[in-house]
Amino acid sequence: MGAPTSGAAGVMEVVRVPCLSDNYVWLLHEVAPAGGGAGRTAVVDPAEEGPVVEALAARGWTLDAVLNTHHHADHTGANLALKRRFPGLMVVGPRADKDRIPAIDVQVGCGDTWHLGGLEVRVFDTPGHTRGHITYYVPQAASLFPGDTLFALGCGRLFEGSPQQMWASLSKLTPLPDDTLVYCAHEYTQSNARFAVTVDPRNAALAQRKAAIDAARAQRSFVMTGISHSPSPVSSPTAAAAAGAAAAAAAAAVRTHQGEPTVPSRLGEEKATNPFLRPHDPAIRQQLGFDAAAPDWQVFGAIRAAKDRF
């Protein structure tokens, strides 16, 4: 739950940047790019300029791109400021919502691939939370950035979509490998867990996970942390060359929050314990009064409605 994890190819470092009251913004940094030189860096859904700039400075990185999943202000709030600060910055966002993404340069949609240096970033259309929501997937690092579509033990509210639409969106993500890291955009996990056990009370894996989440959130920790996707620990070449200065800057930039972060999670863990990915489960159906004939999207809709009332 938020601990450093290793990917398959040693190509990407992810830095968690807490913003606002519960947002997680993610820095993606290309590690040891082919041909040498400094790796390229992107930020996913920058809510605020200051914390992003601090995290970049602490590591000696510059910013090359913004990746927006959807138009909400807590995901695009720093687009314009970052565009002014970093000449040549490219803003990537959903084609289906291009008119609501500030300073968008590159429009992407389902099936498209965008590249951050040597990193391949695949795009899924995942409407439901908003009509133009997208999700980014970096297969080389087994990393998924679903914005507000999929949360740890939850999913986004349906502000502009239907239950059938959101279930179709989530169903695009579940075939990905179980070891995929899910970097969602909010620290909602503890409240999601409290709800999840009401619709899936006999799930032992869920009960165990909830206990671990409660214990983690009772701790005090530093949450602006780097996560290297590598078979062994890999440091940024730039940071290694200026270790002393970077360490001092990092110490100044780190924010102390109450509670260990619970993000990222593993997709396999979500499939085993997240009720929003389990409308097919007989126990959940029985708990909610559905028989085997009900379509999954209808059961999903009932779970979402119950969470809205929770």
Side-chain angles (χ1 to χ4, degrees):
M1 297 190 308
T5 350
S6 295
V11 294
M12 187 173 78
E13 181 177 354
V14 180
V15 175
R16 177 192 298 106
V17 183
C19 289
L20 304 175
S21 62
D22 54 35
N23 280 66
Y24 287 146
V25 170
W26 303 101
L27 292 181
L28 317 184
H29 181 69
E30 181 189 21
V31 175
R40 294 174 67 80
T41 304
V43 62
V44 180
D45 286 345
E48 298 179 279
E49 178 189 20
V52 171
V53 171
E54 289 175 1
L56 290 165
R59 292 158 179 81
W61 298 343
T62 190
L63 191 62
D64 300 291
V66 167
L67 304 180
N68 290 133
T69 61
H70 63 295
H71 75 281
H72 285 162
D74 63 324
H75 294 255
T76 63
N79 279 23
L80 295 174
L82 293 171
K83 187 93 167 173
R84 288 191 295 267
R85 182 180 287 269
F86 296 98
L89 178 75
M90 182 175 297
V91 175
V92 182
R95 181 181 300 113
D97 219 358
K98 60 183 176 59
D99 294 332
R100 297 194 290 182
I101 303 296
I104 189 170
D105 297 302
V106 178
Q107 302 169 24
V108 293
C110 207
D112 287 344
T113 298
W114 182 81
H115 287 87
L116 179 68
L119 296 173
E120 178 183 301
V121 182
R122 299 179 186 173
V123 181
F124 296 92
D125 281 341
T126 51
H129 180 65
T130 67
R131 66 174 184 262
H133 201 298
I134 60 175
T135 291
Y136 298 100
Y137 174 55
V138 184
Q140 292 139 294
S143 297
L144 188 71
F145 300 89
D148 286 358
T149 292
L150 175 64
F151 295 129
L153 287 177
C155 77
R157 283 180 176 266
L158 307 185
F159 290 122
E160 298 180 355
S162 67
Q164 192 166 9
Q165 191 176 36
M166 184 63 128
W167 176 242
S169 293
L170 291 169
S171 297
K172 296 175 185 177
L173 307 181
T174 52
L176 295 174
D178 283 355
D179 66 349
T180 299
L181 286 161
V182 181
Y183 293 93
C184 68
H186 291 274
E187 183 57 71
Y188 290 163
T189 317
Q190 190 171 33
S191 62
N192 287 342
R194 287 195 293 266
F195 167 75
V197 296
T198 69
V199 295
D200 198 8
R202 292 177 292 280
N203 186 332
L206 172 59
Q208 183 177 15
R209 187 179 180 191
K210 181 181 182 298
I213 289 163
D214 288 340
R217 296 304 291 165
Q219 302 299 314
R220 189 168 184 83
S221 69
F222 299 105
V223 297
M224 188 181 290
T225 55
I227 302 167
S228 294
H229 294 270
S230 168
S232 59
V234 176
S235 297
S236 159
T238 305
V254 164
R255 296 178 165 193
T256 306
H257 282 230
Q258 185 67 41
E260 293 275 357
T262 62
V263 182
S265 58
R266 295 279 183 182
L267 186 58
E269 186 177 33
E270 296 305 323
K271 288 190 276 190
T273 58
N274 186 333
F276 294 96
L277 299 184
R278 296 166 50 75
H280 57 277
D281 183 77
I284 292 177
R285 285 173 172 251
Q286 181 180 19
Q287 185 74 13
L288 295 175
F290 287 93
D291 61 24
D296 286 345
W297 69 263
Q298 189 173 30
V299 182
F300 166 82
I303 298 169
R304 182 63 258 179
K307 178 63 166 65
D308 292 344
R309 297 189 301 266
F310 184 73

